[in-house]
Amino acid sequence: MAVSPVYLPIFPLPDVTFFPHTLLPLHIFEARYRAMITDCLARDRRLSVVRLEPGYEAAYEGKPPVCPVAGAGRIVRCERLATGRFNVLLRGEQRIRIASEVPTDTLYRVAAAVPLTDVGAERPAVAELARTIRARCVQILEALGRGTDALRESLEALRSPAELGDQVASGIIPDAAVRQTLLEEPDVERRLERLTTALDDLFRQLTRGREPR
């Protein structure tokens, strides 16, 4: 059964990955995106944040290529400044695949997008991967001098492996290309496997090649 597209304003940004289950603060200053926020607030507050493809600089003022999979979410907090700029907070709700861009007379771009649904979340391996990810996150943050009991508790509180994976990918993985790969993977087991590999790589870098404990 075909999934009906949704129509969303898109906010292209370099090296930003907007995951479901996360919060993304943004400072909006360009005229076209101030108009986008104004229109979003007048409608359903929904928009998509999409990563610009590498090499976007030459076409930034026009319509540079964007990655095919993005995060869609909702404005949950908005402050309009005296300058006309905005401080907004977005809550990620779902992954989307951009099917096409829609002709529009707005300053900003609009896309027809297909919502992506997670698969494989109930497989037995997923729970074990989630435990491994929690443990590795603690080790990474301890290596950075940021490990605390409160952190452990916050990781344990994320009972959904998919939610855990998205929050960890968003908050800990530094490489934008790796984050985009994780965003684009709809299979939860494969996504967590890739996240585990990325965390292992990061831990090895932080501990200068020592074997993971």
Side-chain angles (χ1 to χ4, degrees):
M1 181 177 178
V3 178
S4 298
V6 294
Y7 296 91
L8 294 169
I10 63 172
F11 188 14
L13 289 170
D15 297 334
V16 173
T17 319
F18 185 31
F19 286 88
H21 313 110
T22 66
L23 295 172
L24 179 64
L26 294 171
H27 178 68
I28 311 297
F29 57 91
E30 288 189 52
R32 53 181 163 172
Y33 298 124
R34 295 202 306 266
M36 178 188 70
I37 295 298
T38 299
D39 290 350
C40 286
L41 292 172
R43 295 194 291 260
D44 59 4
R45 293 181 165 241
R46 299 192 73 230
L47 71 152
S48 174
V49 177
V50 57
R51 182 183 176 222
L52 287 160
E53 292 277 14
Y56 67 88
E57 291 86 354
Y60 181 75
E61 297 302 327
K63 293 186 176 182
V66 297
C67 295
V69 174
R74 194 177 303 271
I75 299 170
V76 295
R77 188 183 306 157
C78 181
E79 176 190 14
R80 182 164 190 162
L81 306 177
T83 58
R85 298 182 176 193
F86 292 93
N87 289 326
V88 301
L89 183 66
L90 305 181
R91 182 179 63 227
E93 295 182 336
Q94 63 186 162
R95 288 165 165 79
I96 60 163
R97 182 177 298 280
I98 295 175
S100 62
E101 289 201 35
V102 178
T104 176
D105 59 1
T106 60
L107 294 172
Y108 54 88
R109 299 159 72 178
V110 177
V114 178
L116 299 178
T117 303
D118 282 349
V119 298
E122 304 305 319
R123 294 180 197 141
V126 168
E128 181 59 33
L129 285 165
R131 284 190 287 271
T132 300
I133 287 167
R134 288 189 183 94
R136 184 61 79 230
C137 283
V138 170
Q139 290 176 319
I140 288 170
L141 292 169
E142 285 176 345
L144 293 168
R146 293 165 51 194
T148 64
D149 289 340
L151 168 68
R152 294 173 188 268
E153 291 173 5
S154 66
L155 287 169
E156 289 297 330
L158 297 171
R159 305 313 304 171
S160 161
E163 181 178 359
L164 171 71
D166 285 342
Q167 291 205 16
V168 168
S170 177
I172 294 183
I173 300 300
D175 189 294
V178 174
R179 291 197 307 270
Q180 183 66 32
T181 298
L182 294 168
L183 182 70
E184 292 180 4
E185 178 53 71
D187 186 291
V188 175
E189 182 179 353
R190 287 201 294 266
R191 189 190 307 154
L192 296 187
E193 287 173 344
R194 291 176 179 177
L195 176 58
T196 301
T197 299
L199 292 171
D200 287 347
D201 290 344
L202 179 58
F203 183 69
R204 281 192 290 269
Q205 293 170 23
L206 291 172
T207 55
R208 297 185 180 180
R210 291 204 309 266
E211 287 299 318
R213 290 179 288 173

